[in-house]
Amino acid sequence: MKYLVTGVAGFIGFHVVQRLTSQGHEVIGIDNLNDYYDVNLKLARLAELKTDTLFKFIKIDLANREGIAQLFSQQKFDRVIHLAAQAGVRYSIDKPMAYADSNLIGHLTILEGCRHNEIEHLVYASSSSVYGLNNKTPFATSDSVDHPISLYAATKKSNELMSHTYSHLYNIPTTGLRFFTVYGPWGRPDMALFKFTKAIINGESIDVYNNGDMQRDFTYIDDIVEGIIRIQDIIPQKDVDWNVESGSVASSSAPYKIFNIGNGNPVKLLDFIKSLEKSLGIKSNKNLMPMQPGDVYQTYADVDDLFTVTGYKPSVSVEYGVEKFVRWYKDFYQ
Ligand SMILES: NC(=O)c1ccc[n+]([C@@H]2O[C@H](COP(=O)([O-])OP(=O)(O)OC[C@H]3O[C@@H](n4cnc5c(N)ncnc54)[C@H](O)[C@@H]3O)[C@@H](O)[C@H]2O)c1
């Protein structure tokens, strides 16, 4: 099959492409290579991908309406895995417009491409951040998600709404995946594991928010990739029996679905740091800091739906995953 994967120079996109090409699929990957974090890391991921003849890279911005429309009409993709976005909760406080361009306009250009080109399935990245002010755990896709607390989360919730509209109007099968704190080799420099590893190795202190009183449902990259690969084979169908009163909010009469992909096992931030210290063989110095605006106290995925539909649920332990990350980090930055 021929895939469009967006955000291929990014952390998750890079891993997804490797998996698709290893299965013999042809992949056109796009990315704008923006400098939100170290561009050299993005280029290094791309250099790895480019060794594969089944992969072709095109540098383009999602917000380039004509360019994206042309890409779709020229390439004739079977399926789309849309992962490019302006990520990050804290950055959305300083640079809100980046989220409007990449996550709102950008998502719409992809939907328009699907609308005009008979795409079999659009799978796109949403986020656990859509659960916002929700206190009930675990977070289930049947819960209301109308109270985001960062613009990033609001754009991800918007992506789900926009996708529903296009699924309904144009019969485009769409599946939104709410990822929970993804980590692993080739991970993102703006995320805790990367920042902590770098600081500890350099003998610097680490900033620990909410005095360490936080829990995250850390999900290892291989589990996320497995979830994406399985879900993209499960194409949502119209369901004439569905109605708003009795149906799940994660599905619809339109060919539209939402799933959580998380470990389903929240880990205390201080325990996560202990795993990292063990892998590095170095103790950390912690700056205990207040809660940051936009951050939530806990994330915890209910993955029952994912398991029911795919027979799969994430299972990699933090000890294993952190060790794999540390090995990659030391090797890459030597
Ligand atoms: N990593 C996580 O923990 C996590 C959690 C929840 C959701 N997500 C979502 O998963 C997706 C992938 O995340 P990631 O961790 O790989 O992030 P990433 O930042 O490493 O990858 C995103 C890629 O998209 C590209 N991009 C951004 N804006 C673009 C634009 N306008 N045009 C073209 N390319 C653009 C970036 O250059 C980057 O390479 C994102 O949608 C993100 O919001 C990630």
Side-chain angles (χ1 to χ4, degrees):
M1 252 181 290
K2 186 168 182 179
Y3 283 81
L4 169 65
V5 182
T6 74
V8 287
F11 171 36
I12 301 174
F14 163 77
H15 287 279
V16 167
V17 171
Q18 285 188 323
R19 183 68 183 272
L20 287 171
T21 55
S22 77
Q23 293 178 334
H25 298 297
E26 184 185 351
V27 179
I28 304 290
I30 64 169
D31 202 294
N32 70 353
L33 299 176
N34 69 56
D35 64 358
Y36 166 61
Y37 62 74
D38 184 11
V39 178
N40 287 325
L41 177 57
K42 295 184 180 183
L43 292 173
R45 293 184 187 124
L46 269 186
E48 295 268 318
L49 295 180
K50 281 179 178 167
T51 59
D52 196 324
T53 51
L54 287 170
F55 174 75
K56 187 174 164 219
F57 176 67
I58 297 173
K59 186 178 174 196
I60 186 170
D61 195 297
L62 288 175
N64 175 348
R65 296 166 205 200
E66 295 77 28
I68 297 289
Q70 221 173 48
L71 177 78
F72 269 89
S73 66
Q74 282 170 356
Q75 297 286 346
K76 304 273 176 254
F77 305 113
D78 297 302
R79 294 183 184 172
V80 177
I81 301 182
H82 174 38
L83 302 166
Q86 179 55 57
V89 166
R90 288 171 201 141
Y91 190 70
S92 69
I93 305 223
D94 299 331
K95 298 271 188 225
M97 291 306 170
Y99 293 74
D101 295 341
S102 294
N103 301 8
L104 299 178
I105 304 290
H107 194 72
L108 188 54
T109 61
I110 296 299
L111 284 171
E112 277 288 293
C114 295
R115 169 186 175 185
H116 296 292
N117 294 278
E118 288 185 39
I119 296 301
E120 198 177 275
H121 194 186
L122 165 65
V123 174
Y124 62 94
S126 183
S127 162
S128 61
S129 63
V130 299
Y131 290 102
L133 282 183
N134 293 19
N135 283 323
K136 175 196 147 283
T137 53
F139 296 156
T141 52
S142 53
D143 300 338
S144 137
V145 285
D146 288 328
H147 301 90
I149 57 169
S150 66
L151 184 73
Y152 168 66
T155 62
K156 288 292 176 182
K157 164 76 180 173
S158 308
N159 291 168
E160 297 179 359
L161 296 172
M162 293 157 85
S163 301
H164 182 265
T165 309
Y166 271 61
S167 293
H168 172 79
L169 287 175
Y170 310 115
N171 201 25
I172 304 165
T174 66
T175 302
L177 302 176
R178 294 177 182 163
F179 300 144
F180 283 66
T181 318
V182 190
Y183 73 103
W186 298 91
R188 264 172 41 202
D190 61 321
M191 293 184 70
L193 179 58
F194 196 112
K195 287 201 284 193
F196 289 171
T197 303
K198 186 175 177 188
I200 295 172
I201 286 178
N202 292 336
E204 293 159 7
S205 307
I206 58 173
D207 290 342
V208 179
Y209 296 115
N210 207 33
N211 301 313
D213 184 18
M214 261 198 216
Q215 298 188 13
R216 286 288 177 273
D217 202 349
F218 293 101
T219 311
Y220 189 62
I221 183 66
D222 292 0
D223 278 331
I224 293 286
V225 172
E226 187 65 33
I228 295 173
I229 294 296
R230 287 184 185 229
I231 280 289
Q232 55 90 30
D233 270 338
I234 298 166
I235 300 178
Q237 306 291 325
K238 277 185 173 177
D239 178 4
V240 286
D241 296 328
W242 183 94
N243 62 62
V244 171
E245 289 71 35
S246 58
S248 158
V249 293
S251 55
S252 169
S253 51
Y256 163 90
K257 287 272 188 280
I258 298 289
F259 291 96
N260 285 336
I261 308 189
N263 212 46
N265 180 25
V267 172
K268 290 184 181 146
L269 183 55
L270 293 178
D271 289 341
F272 189 71
I273 294 170
K274 272 189 204 146
S275 278
L276 176 58
E277 290 174 340
K278 196 169 159 225
S279 285
L280 287 171
I282 314 173
K283 271 265 179 222
S284 64
N285 293 314
K286 301 180 191 64
N287 288 328
L288 297 180
M289 312 273 284
M291 190 76 152
Q292 293 285 292
D295 259 359
V296 299
Y297 163 68
Q298 187 191 43
T299 62
Y300 178 1
D302 177 333
V303 284
D304 286 354
D305 284 354
L306 180 75
F307 185 68
T308 304
V309 168
T310 63
Y312 178 76
K313 63 188 225 183
S315 60
V316 173
S317 71
V318 153
E319 292 73 23
Y320 173 89
V322 166
E323 175 69 24
K324 291 284 265 190
F325 173 81
V326 166
R327 271 198 229 157
W328 167 78
Y329 183 95
K330 286 184 169 168
D331 185 49
F332 187 75
Y333 286 103
Q334 270 329 299

